[in-house]
Amino acid sequence: MNKNVIRTTGRRKTSSAQVKMTPGTGKITVNGKDVNEYLPFEELVMDLKQPLVLTKTETQYDFEIVARGGGYSGQTGAIRLGIAKALLEADKNTDPSSETSFRRILKTAGMITRDPRIKERKKYGLKKARRAPQFSKR
């Protein structure tokens, strides 16, 4: 296996993303398609690239991503976490207390923490998790 390849996993809601990072020119491929072709909204692409913009590494690495489950928003969050983890792995030799360490930059921006919120299960007698049937007096 090539030592320059870094593999990480990111999760969000019901989505998971397997991220493969290699040194390159900044090309991002999601499920075999270009990221701009795969994601329908420019805001999602900007959100996905946020860890790269913060660490100023947009043109240093190529990413091959396999995203499964959930919708576009969940997949974007999962990919963003996977990219942040991969950047941390690439920068693990740098002192974490220095101003230029990726860990410090990404931690202050909240990119390292996995968002634990998932959909609440439906309860019996209710229409959704908390939505009760409409009350009728007569």
Side-chain angles (χ1 to χ4, degrees), residues 51-135:
L52 299 170
V53 172
L54 289 171
T55 56
K56 297 176 179 71
T57 55
E58 298 110 310
T59 59
Q60 292 181 14
Y61 299 106
D62 286 343
F63 293 93
E64 280 183 48
I65 300 159
V66 177
R68 292 191 182 94
Y72 290 121
S73 178
Q75 285 185 359
T76 301
I79 292 168
R80 184 174 81 172
L81 181 60
I83 289 173
K85 283 182 173 181
L87 289 171
L88 289 180
E89 188 68 28
D91 194 50
K92 67 182 176 185
N93 295 330
T94 306
D95 179 31
S97 62
S98 74
E99 290 289 323
T100 59
S101 76
F102 288 177
R103 178 160 190 82
R104 188 170 201 170
I105 294 167
L106 294 172
K107 183 113 175 139
T108 55
M111 299 284 165
I112 299 172
T113 310
R114 187 229 195 266
D115 191 346
R117 297 175 296 170
I118 57 169
K119 188 170 181 174
E120 190 176 343
R121 80 170 197 88
K122 182 191 177 301
K123 280 74 167 193
Y124 64 89
L126 300 180
K127 293 187 176 288
K128 292 168 65 178
R130 299 182 185 207
R131 170 77 170 103
Q134 188 172 359
F135 175 74

Side-chain angles (χ1 to χ4, degrees), residues 8-26:
T8 57
T9 303
R11 290 189 177 88
R12 168 85 167 92
K13 292 185 176 183
T14 59
S15 302
S16 69
Q18 296 172 331
V19 177
K20 180 180 159 186
M21 183 173 88
T22 54
T25 59

